[in-house]
Amino acid sequence: MKVLQHSEHTLKTALISQNPVLVSQYEKLDARERRLMNEAFQPSSNLFGPITVHSQSDWITSHPEVPQDFEQFFTDRHRNIPCPEKHIIYMQSIGSLGNTRVISEEYIKWLKGYCEAFFYGLTVKFLEPVSVSATKCSFRVNEHTHNLQIHAGVGIFSFARYGTDFYSSRYEGKVSKPQRTSSSDYSVFDNYYSPEITSILLWRSCKTLTHEIGHIFGLRHCQWLACLMQGSNHLEESDRRPLNLCPICLRKLQVALGFSVVERYKALLTWIDEGSKDSSRATPRESSDRVNLQKPVEAFQDWREWIIKCIAVLEK
């Protein structure tokens, strides 16, 4: 295991820049926001820590990339910048989540609410779900795991492997007869297994959702501090990655969207607190459409406590 500990000067430069124009821009930020972001280069900070590399299979070791500091992000002419005419994040659900339409729709509402809080100030709209066959995507049955895999393109990501049993021999989604399947025969997806909706599944889904949309806004993989925007090669590494953005990536996103940092954190806190605080298991696997669903937020409690600490710094 190795800790990537950057110097105070390196982190300060990555956050603020040495460009006088960008330094001036930083100094014009609300003093409370600067106080929080300055935690990036405080060795004693209990809010933002260094990246820990656990093995050679971790992303940062196996995928060498040029680090992106704030100045590089700001001067990137090709990044997407929201404007009054373009301020909506559209999402397209492929297939269903859960074993009823009600469960699927409720899960999508949870993701929509989280995404709107995370990308505070933007509107999120989910398009009507479509079947896998409607996408015309090619697919395969993995010859080793016998799990179905869709060959998806840019901007498409899957939550399928985030169920608690996906990697186990007990996974119910394995194709029982792994015979060669025609690339045009989508019947193999009919009544396909859906994992139980748990707090961990929702936690992992929110993490992947916001990480990938962060890329759409021009944020590259973070190599500065422990951060949502770190790359990950496997589920264990993804689970170690925090839900929060480090100050460098937070400043990038704030410049892109123009939000108040404290209002964004309060929106995220509200989303968590809207969930049931005492729900201890997944949503019921029932066939009835009349199901009273509670948002399972147990896995978000550490994130909640972290947000409260940040709000305290911002409201000193």
Side-chain angles (χ1 to χ4, degrees), residues 32-73:
R32 297 170 298 176
E33 293 184 344
R34 291 203 312 272
R35 182 164 58 236
L36 178 71
M37 291 187 185
N38 286 349
E39 290 275 328
F41 49 84
Q42 303 300 329
S44 60
S45 175
N46 64 350
L47 293 176
F48 305 102
I51 294 172
T52 302
V53 179
H54 286 246
S55 73
Q56 289 297 312
S57 67
D58 281 8
W59 180 276
I60 203 165
T61 304
S62 58
H63 291 79
E65 297 174 283
V66 177
Q68 181 197 48
D69 59 22
F70 175 77
E71 183 175 346
Q72 290 167 323
F73 169 83

Side-chain angles (χ1 to χ4, degrees), residues 73-298:
F73 169 83
F74 187 80
T75 56
D76 182 356
R77 294 177 297 171
H78 302 292
R79 63 184 174 88
N80 291 310
I81 303 174
C83 61
E85 296 77 29
K86 297 180 180 180
H87 64 279
I88 299 173
I89 297 172
Y90 288 97
M91 297 186 186
Q92 175 73 72
S93 176
I94 301 172
S96 61
L97 288 160
N99 61 334
T100 72
R101 182 177 176 86
V102 169
I103 291 177
S104 186
E105 288 177 350
E106 204 62 25
Y107 197 85
I108 285 172
K109 286 180 184 176
W110 297 336
L111 295 178
K112 176 183 184 296
Y114 186 83
C115 193
E116 286 187 331
F118 193 94
F119 298 101
Y120 191 70
L122 298 185
T123 300
V124 176
K125 290 186 179 180
F126 268 88
L127 303 175
E128 279 295 310
V130 298
S131 64
V132 177
S133 59
T135 68
K136 305 299 182 184
C137 286
S138 59
F139 63 90
R140 70 168 182 168
V141 177
N142 187 292
E143 61 181 312
H144 303 293
T145 65
H146 299 162
N147 295 336
L148 275 172
Q149 294 181 314
I150 301 172
H151 293 296
V154 175
I156 301 177
F157 44 92
S158 170
F159 303 140
R161 68 190 62 208
Y162 290 163
T164 54
D165 60 348
F166 183 84
Y167 291 98
S168 76
S169 59
R170 302 184 307 276
Y171 178 58
E172 296 177 35
K174 294 182 184 297
V175 177
S176 56
K177 295 181 179 180
Q179 71 275 12
R180 187 171 180 83
T181 305
S182 168
S183 61
S184 60
D185 179 12
Y186 292 93
S187 63
V188 69
F189 290 95
D190 293 343
N191 301 312
Y192 187 65
Y193 169 76
S194 293
E196 185 179 17
I197 293 178
T198 64
S199 185
I200 289 294
L201 181 70
L202 181 61
W203 177 74
R204 288 169 173 165
S205 299
C206 288
K207 189 179 287 190
T208 297
L209 179 71
T210 48
H211 174 96
E212 299 302 338
I213 295 175
H215 284 319
I216 292 173
F217 287 115
L219 279 73
R220 296 185 207 153
H221 284 132
C222 182
Q223 299 183 57
W224 305 109
L225 295 162
C227 177
L228 173 80
M229 293 309 299
Q230 286 172 240
S232 65
N233 272 342
H234 44 79
L235 187 61
E236 181 186 350
E237 185 178 16
S238 177
D239 281 351
R240 290 197 302 265
R241 189 172 57 185
L243 279 163
N244 64 275
L245 295 172
C246 75
I248 298 162
C249 292
L250 178 63
R251 189 184 178 200
K252 293 174 187 176
L253 191 65
Q254 185 192 37
V255 163
L257 306 187
F259 53 69
S260 157
V261 174
V262 70
E263 293 304 317
R264 174 179 176 272
Y265 282 145
K266 287 179 178 179
L268 286 163
L269 190 61
T270 297
W271 181 90
I272 296 171
D273 288 344
E274 284 173 349
S276 171
K277 294 181 180 179
D278 59 357
S279 61
S280 58
R281 62 188 184 86
T283 51
R285 297 179 66 85
E286 300 177 8
S287 59
S288 169
D289 277 353
R290 295 183 179 180
V291 180
N292 182 26
L293 298 178
Q294 293 178 318
K295 183 166 57 183
V297 293
E298 303 82 29

